[in-house]
Amino acid sequence: MPLNEHGLTELISLLQKKDITPLEIATDLLSAVNDKDKVLHAYLEVYGDELLDVAGRITRDGSFCEKPLCGVPIAVKDNICVEGKKTTCGSRILEDYESPYHATAIEKLIASGAIISGKTNLDEFAMGSSTENSAFGPTRNPWDLERAPGGSSGGSAAAVAAGIAPAALGSDTGGSIRQPAGFCGVVGMKPTYGTVSRYGLVAFASSFDQIGPIAKSVEDCALVLSVITGGDRKDATSTHSLTRDFTRSLEKGLEGLTVGIPKDFLKKNMDAEVEQNFDELLNLLRSHNVPIMDVSLPHSGYAVACYYIIANAEASANLARYDGVRYGYRAAEYDTLDDMYARTRGEGFGEEVQRRILLGTYVLSAGYYDAYYLKAQMVRSLIIRDFESAFEACDLLMMPTSPTPAFKLGEKVADPLLMYLSDIFTVPANLAGLPAISIPSGLSGGGLPLGIQLIGPPCKDETVLAAAYGLEREIGFDRKPNVRS
Amino acid sequence: MGKYEAIIGLEVHAQLLTKSKMFCACSTEFGGAPNTQVCPVCLGLPGALPVVNEKAVEYAVRMGLATNSKIAKNSVFARKNYFYPDCPKNYQISQYDTPLCSDGALYVGGRRIGIARIHLEEDAGKLIHCEDDNCSLVDMNRCGVPLVEVVSEPDIRTPEEASEYLQKLRSILRYLEICDGNMEEGSLRCDVNVSVRQEGSEWFGTRTEIKNLNSFKAVEQALHYEIGRQERILLEGGRVEHETLLWDSETGEARIMRSKEEAHDYRYFPEPDLLVLEVPGALMKRAKSAIPELPDAKEDRFVRDYNLPRYDAQVLTGSREIAGYFEAVEKALGDPKQASNWIMGEVLRELNERKIDISKFSVSAEDLADLIALQKSGKINMPTAKEIFREMVGTGGRAEKIIASKGLEQISNEKEIEQIVLKVLDAYPDEVSSYHAGKVKLLAFFIGQVMRETRGRTDPQKTASILKAVLEERR
């Protein structure tokens, strides 16, 4: 088996035994990228030279296991800043922009001995659910090249699924880690809001954005999350609790946990295949005597609407800085200052980004603020309260990650509302800032992976991971896509 | 038709004297080479996040406490959205519906001027327009420097009162040591809102806003200009438009910057990158303990304890440093009125002429007290004392030394004066004859000659009486 078919934990254990070296992993990864990524387009940039340099150096001096990640390569979504490297956010407007600094999560990864393998593709500014909104072309799903890998962290999910990155960082604003993880048959975790510093994550919607891991297993996710977690003086919204080792309590599994099912919310929104898979999982849990109960999330029907108002409002301000004045793309010809702004942004941003900026600007405008933004914030409070009362009765919620398996490229781009609804099961956790994970739960009739999502109360990331670890073992999903170049 | 009255409100921006910027660690120092005091945060680079400077919060709380404002336990930062090249994020982090301080006041000439709110925000960068007018450069050093915006209630009624209010505000900011109040360098900036209405009326007229007022004089001039303009419009039966005007102090006119139609919709919303701003008890305590005796209290004390006229007390307490200087002189001298006269006259004139601050003044309070004491004792006369003072300002020397080295001691010895008088009269026999013939006004001439002879060191009264006596003898 090629080295990169292994997960992070396995690689580290092989490295610790000196059975393999970082240089072998790096070489193997680059050859796999060479093989597969021409068709997949998971990477926007591969740091081939640096990867070989660093891996070579630590292989030669034998220092590679002095740090926990032992020189394993990790891919990074291209909306997270790496010093001296392009951070395009999948946008023309930042096509040539190089970040002068590392994101905090990147500093932590490097300090823990990881090597950044490159930047992965994404929907422009993380706005989308299919990676088709990338200005640099879509990523293909390794399970079916005609299908979308999901989004917006589609590049990271596809890279991990195809074995061209042992693990990757993504960002999740409304499901952008979990949905592509589900579509690609890998594990993706969105931690509690504030767990991972957002410093250096290019903002889409600040009160939702969270960096998280995408990997081959729950244990791998727990390992990466342990490294990147922790309060950061540079991010006022990060939580200053102690850095936790999320791998420690995985063995607890589902023991002693009650799982809540928001049946009413799910019924209306799942397609038949997803529902069937979900019922099988419930039976699996019952057969292992895991207590299951119905819970109610009465306001979750408004979650998508509420999310698209608040997230776009924040985005309209967050993306205002891309104006052609100081960095990034500037229109070649213009008359006045206003004309320069208009042309730069009209030419530099893609259609979906412009749509969201317009929507966000509208809901904040005088005369509309109360009816939209303020009302949506109230609904957000109600949704948070829904979760609070649900978690009084159960420890975790379980629901499908997405209402359907991976859809075809081009299938939903013409209908933004249809696209937005593919986030219906993921946005509630972002609205409430909750920890949520997606793990593979089987294959559809068409051979596409399905994902199941576990959501926990705030700061119970450890419980969510442990439960997912237990469920992962019970499901025993071991299929891999076969990417033919 | 009755008289018109003006309704005036001021919005004052004051740069806080923190070492670092509002939301990052960059230096706030003025005058650095362009774009040398910047980082990803104040440049608004992708992925950078703001973090609140606690010192700036403490300074703003000081201002709130000094103006008897309510300090909000929880206040909210908000994004004010507008596109301009000196604003790198194209939104300014400010405060909107929940400011840090509200409902305060200060007093001007005994009148209460309400302060609606005091909030924290970040300054913008500076645009430099090139001479060939086909390019503009931007310097981001100032970008992110902390500001407090102090918004008055529309309680001000005249341009003069507006200027006095601004002076009082500046004085308080400087007493608190939170802003240097330098209007030329732009660390204190003022916009005014003004409308006019018929005296006694209850309704408010349409107001205009005037920006770019960077001196007390500009505030007064612009208000006179705008009040006159609005009155003329109303007298002619016209309607004042809600506009934003830009004051040009060169021409003494205001021109339209934005019409009502062009008014911005700033789309304020809570800043999601920052938590609700809490004022911890410890910070409140620090702010409280950092508040010194303020101008009004000091003025009252100067009147009460030093028996100074109200006007003297007001001038002396306009600056905390001047007030301190006065108290030091008074302490060494024991004569408040003399100390006040010298400081309000000679010292303030020197400071104004040299455009320096009292802290940079070369004459120490003790040395000034010595000088005044020498004059009071009669050792030197007043003109000489003033001459010595100028010498002290120039060289930083002490009065006694200057007197000794230049031989400026007053000649009070009558024998000595008589010798000089005799010499002068011998030199002007014709004038002496005229005097004796009844032209007594010539006495002043003789005094002048004696003074000339002694370079002003003789006691003028003694000189006059000796002159008269000798002239009588010679009759």
Side-chain angles (χ1 to χ4, degrees):
Chain A
M1 186 159 73
L3 288 178
N4 285 287
E5 301 283 314
H6 292 290
L8 201 59
T9 316
E10 294 158 339
L11 286 176
I12 290 170
S13 123
L14 291 171
L15 284 163
Q16 280 167 339
K17 284 188 263 170
K18 314 267 172 184
D19 286 351
I20 55 170
T21 65
L23 187 57
E24 287 172 82
I25 298 176
T27 314
D28 185 62
L29 181 133
L30 291 175
S31 100
V33 168
N34 208 29
D35 260 8
K36 299 174 179 173
D37 207 37
K38 280 195 190 74
V39 284
L40 287 178
H41 194 228
Y43 278 98
L44 289 176
E45 189 179 359
V46 178
Y47 304 154
D49 293 346
E50 289 94 330
L51 185 57
L52 290 176
D53 272 3
V54 180
R57 178 164 50 74
I58 58 179
T59 297
R60 281 191 299 279
D61 68 15
S63 68
F64 54 84
C65 273
E66 286 169 7
K67 291 170 182 168
L69 294 180
C70 297
V72 173
I74 289 183
V76 173
K77 187 179 183 180
D78 200 21
N79 61 350
I80 300 172
C81 294
V82 173
E83 188 180 323
K85 293 293 184 185
K86 281 186 189 174
T87 300
T88 69
C89 296
S91 181
R92 286 263 169 255
I93 215 157
L94 288 178
E95 189 168 1
D96 297 316
Y97 174 75
E98 276 182 16
S99 177
Y101 72 97
H102 277 320
T104 300
I106 298 299
E107 280 183 349
K108 285 175 179 270
L109 277 182
I110 293 173
S112 295
I115 311 174
I116 308 302
S117 61
K119 289 298 198 68
T120 58
N121 200 8
L122 69 162
D123 286 299
E124 185 176 4
F125 286 101
M127 295 176 177
S129 309
S130 68
T131 320
E132 289 166 289
N133 294 335
S134 168
F136 310 112
T139 297
R140 292 175 184 276
N141 191 318
W143 294 80
D144 178 349
L145 297 177
E146 298 305 308
R147 289 180 188 266
S152 64
S153 311
S156 286
V160 172
I164 53 176
L169 292 189
S171 70
D172 193 316
T173 306
S176 281
I177 286 175
R178 290 158 289 157
Q179 187 252 21
F183 277 15
C184 293
V186 293
V187 181
M189 165 99 178
K190 181 200 93 72
T192 301
Y193 183 78
T195 301
V196 180
S197 168
R198 292 187 297 116
Y199 192 78
L201 166 65
V202 180
F204 157 16
S206 315
S207 73
F208 302 92
D209 296 341
Q210 204 37 208
I211 293 175
I214 294 176
K216 287 194 168 65
S217 69
V218 174
E219 189 177 8
D220 289 359
C221 273
L223 179 60
V224 175
L225 189 59
S226 303
V227 166
I228 60 176
T229 191
D232 182 6
R233 296 171 63 89
K234 293 176 187 161
D235 175 3
T237 63
S238 72
T239 312
H240 286 257
S241 51
L242 290 172
T243 302
R244 289 161 290 184
D245 180 356
F246 293 103
T247 58
R248 251 186 347 209
S249 47
L250 291 176
E251 290 296 336
K252 281 185 190 160
L254 281 157
E255 208 185 305
L257 299 176
T258 301
V259 177
I261 311 295
K263 220 181 222 168
D264 288 346
F265 176 46
L266 298 180
K267 275 282 176 223
K268 286 171 266 176
N269 299 303
M270 286 184 285
D271 85 353
E273 249 182 328
V274 169
E275 187 171 357
Q276 196 195 328
N277 176 258
F278 189 67
D279 288 342
E280 284 166 20
L281 281 181
L282 289 179
N283 287 332
L284 182 68
L285 290 181
R286 284 193 196 99
S287 72
H288 286 88
N289 296 319
V290 176
I292 296 170
M293 63 180 298
D294 279 350
V295 294
S296 162
L297 297 175
H299 299 93
S300 45
Y302 304 106
V304 171
C306 171
Y307 167 80
Y308 276 94
I309 290 172
I310 301 171
N312 290 346
E314 293 179 5
S316 73
N318 282 330
L319 271 64
R321 69 191 64 189
Y322 309 113
D323 59 5
V325 172
R326 296 161 308 277
Y327 52 81
Y329 177 81
R330 183 192 287 189
E333 281 175 40
Y334 48 84
D335 300 325
T336 60
L337 177 64
D338 283 342
D339 190 43
M340 194 273 277
Y341 286 147
R343 285 175 192 254
T344 294
R345 291 165 65 79
E347 295 164 18
F349 288 134
E351 197 181 331
E352 180 61 23
V353 170
Q354 292 190 41
R355 176 168 23 248
R356 296 200 192 192
I357 290 172
L358 288 172
L359 285 169
T361 304
Y362 180 80
V363 300
L364 289 174
S365 299
Y368 299 99
Y369 181 90
D370 289 4
Y372 293 102
Y373 181 81
L374 210 58
K375 185 62 73 64
Q377 288 289 13
M378 290 173 189
V379 174
R380 186 178 192 176
S381 303
L382 293 174
I383 288 171
I384 292 171
R385 212 169 303 158
D386 282 355
F387 277 111
E388 282 169 359
S389 46
F391 287 128
E392 280 169 19
C394 65
D395 302 296
L396 291 167
L397 295 178
M398 187 171 89
M399 53 174 117
T401 307
S402 304
T404 66
F407 44 82
K408 287 199 161 145
L409 289 166
E411 188 181 327
K412 296 191 180 183
V413 275
D415 188 344
L417 282 183
L418 206 61
M419 188 73 94
Y420 295 172
L421 283 173
S422 63
D423 299 337
I424 188 162
F425 296 144
T426 48
V427 288
N430 298 85
L431 283 163
L434 305 175
I437 194 166
S438 172
I439 64 172
S441 60
L443 289 184
S444 71
L448 296 170
L450 298 168
I452 186 74
Q453 186 185 197
L454 293 175
I455 302 173
C459 303
K460 297 286 186 187
D461 302 62
E462 213 162 341
T463 309
V464 169
L465 281 160
Y469 184 76
L471 188 58
E472 180 184 52
R473 232 173 3 196
E474 302 306 338
I475 295 170
F477 182 82
D478 60 356
R479 307 287 290 272
K480 291 199 168 81
N482 181 20
V483 182
R484 292 174 303 272
S485 47
Chain B
M1 185 162 284
K3 275 177 64 183
Y4 285 105
E5 73 171 345
I7 307 292
I8 301 166
L10 265 63
E11 289 172 20
V12 177
H13 289 90
Q15 275 183 355
L16 296 178
L17 285 171
T18 53
K19 288 197 177 69
S20 58
K21 292 185 179 180
M22 185 66 226
F23 298 114
C24 63
C26 290
S27 165
T28 55
E29 208 164 315
F30 181 81
N35 298 310
T36 52
Q37 289 151 217
V38 293
C39 74
V41 177
C42 57
L43 286 176
L45 293 189
L49 295 170
V51 178
V52 173
N53 179 342
E54 201 180 278
K55 202 76 193 168
V57 178
E58 190 191 319
Y59 283 5
V61 169
R62 277 192 209 170
M63 189 58 186
L65 292 171
T67 51
N68 271 315
S69 301
K70 288 185 192 132
I71 312 296
K73 279 218 172 66
N74 295 299
S75 65
V76 176
F77 283 104
R79 291 186 183 177
K80 178 181 181 178
N81 295 286
Y82 66 95
F83 276 76
Y84 205 62
D86 65 4
C87 179
K89 301 186 292 294
N90 285 323
Y91 60 81
Q92 177 196 31
I93 305 177
S94 179
Q95 295 193 296
Y96 186 51
D97 49 13
T98 322
L100 180 57
C101 317
S102 57
D103 290 331
L106 56 76
Y107 290 83
V108 173
R111 279 197 71 221
R112 180 185 191 277
I113 309 294
I115 288 174
R117 55 186 286 149
I118 301 171
H119 71 245
L120 275 165
E121 59 185 31
E122 54 177 343
D123 209 343
K126 256 183 203 161
L127 288 185
I128 300 149
H129 301 287
C130 312
E131 286 189 6
D132 66 1
D133 80 16
N134 206 18
C135 94
S136 295
L137 303 171
V138 63
D139 175 8
M140 293 297 183
N141 284 352
R142 197 181 69 177
C143 198
V145 169
L147 298 173
V148 282
E149 180 173 340
V150 183
V151 181
S152 84
E153 297 285 358
D155 291 344
I156 299 165
R157 290 291 172 269
T158 65
E160 291 71 27
E161 192 171 58
S163 170
E164 282 172 43
Y165 165 85
L166 186 57
Q167 289 178 50
K168 182 53 104 25
L169 200 65
R170 183 171 85 146
S171 162
I172 294 172
L173 286 164
R174 292 166 76 158
Y175 264 66
L176 297 173
E177 296 177 319
I178 62 174
C179 172
D180 66 20
N182 189 330
M183 295 187 79
E184 272 172 32
E185 283 180 10
S187 42
L188 189 71
R189 307 194 281 272
C190 177
D191 303 334
V192 300
N193 283 286
V194 58
S195 62
V196 299
R197 67 178 179 191
Q198 289 205 346
E199 221 164 62
S201 163
E202 288 293 315
W203 54 264
F204 288 110
T206 304
R207 66 187 161 85
T208 56
E209 182 178 1
I210 316 172
K211 289 183 173 290
N212 195 30
L213 303 173
N214 44 26
S215 69
F216 300 115
K217 208 173 101 190
V219 169
E220 277 187 52
Q221 285 179 339
L223 278 168
H224 276 299
Y225 170 91
E226 179 58 12
I227 291 165
R229 191 185 71 93
Q230 290 188 16
E231 281 179 359
R232 277 194 303 280
I233 291 173
L234 295 181
L235 281 170
E236 288 161 11
R239 231 178 42 199
V240 174
E241 294 294 334
H242 182 64
E243 292 165 336
T244 303
L245 308 167
L246 200 66
W247 179 249
D248 184 340
S249 52
E250 301 265 308
T251 61
E253 285 178 2
R255 57 190 158 80
I256 295 180
M257 185 176 141
R258 270 198 299 270
S259 69
K260 187 185 175 183
E261 289 72 31
E262 295 165 315
H264 284 142
D265 176 0
Y266 290 117
R267 305 190 308 278
Y268 283 98
F269 73 103
E271 166 57 281
D273 285 333
L274 295 171
L275 306 177
V276 165
L277 178 65
E278 290 177 37
V279 177
L283 188 149
M284 194 75 167
K285 221 168 151 184
R286 276 206 305 280
K288 262 186 193 151
S289 66
I291 294 178
E293 183 186 37
L294 291 170
D296 285 354
K298 206 183 274 288
E299 183 184 316
D300 287 347
R301 182 168 62 80
F302 277 21
V303 171
R304 194 177 61 236
D305 292 1
Y306 299 124
N307 207 14
L308 288 178
R310 177 62 64 176
Y311 177 74
D312 286 31
Q314 197 186 334
V315 172
L316 291 173
T317 56
S319 140
R320 186 178 174 184
E321 289 72 26
I322 301 280
Y325 188 81
F326 162 78
E327 295 209 277
V329 175
E330 194 284 327
K331 194 176 167 203
L333 184 67
D335 184 341
K337 185 58 189 152
Q338 278 299 318
S340 167
N341 287 350
W342 270 86
I343 292 169
M344 289 179 47
E346 301 306 304
V347 175
L348 289 184
R349 192 178 52 240
E350 286 291 340
L351 294 180
N352 282 340
E353 274 173 14
R354 289 160 192 264
K355 291 197 193 311
I356 54 165
D357 207 69
I358 187 86
S359 61
K360 305 237 163 59
F361 192 50
S362 52
V363 181
S364 73
E366 291 68 29
D367 288 352
L368 179 61
D370 287 347
L371 174 67
I372 302 172
L374 286 168
Q375 183 265 325
K376 275 183 69 182
S377 71
K379 201 163 184 196
I380 51 175
N381 63 20
M382 189 57 99
T384 306
K386 288 184 178 173
E387 191 189 323
I388 292 168
F389 176 73
R390 280 189 289 277
E391 183 83 19
M392 288 166 75
V393 174
T395 62
R398 306 198 58 217
E400 303 259 22
K401 273 205 176 141
I402 295 169
I403 292 166
S405 70
K406 299 207 162 186
L408 290 173
E409 218 159 312
Q410 183 156 288
I411 302 165
S412 342
N413 183 306
E414 292 183 15
K415 277 266 163 335
E416 215 174 314
I417 298 174
E418 200 179 324
Q419 290 301 313
I420 301 159
V421 164
L422 291 172
K423 195 174 150 197
V424 166
L425 294 183
D426 287 348
Y428 295 100
D430 294 350
E431 283 76 5
V432 172
S433 306
S434 301
Y435 179 88
H436 284 141
K439 220 173 167 188
V440 287
K441 275 187 181 169
L442 278 167
L443 184 67
F445 168 79
F446 294 126
I447 294 173
Q449 292 310 312
V450 174
M451 285 293 178
R452 209 177 124 186
E453 206 52 39
T454 62
R455 282 181 300 142
R457 286 185 302 138
T458 38
D459 182 321
Q461 274 162 358
K462 276 189 184 158
T463 306
S465 64
I466 291 169
L467 261 168
K468 275 188 198 157
V470 175
L471 282 164
E472 280 314 306
E473 277 171 26
R474 290 205 175 175
R475 192 180 281 275

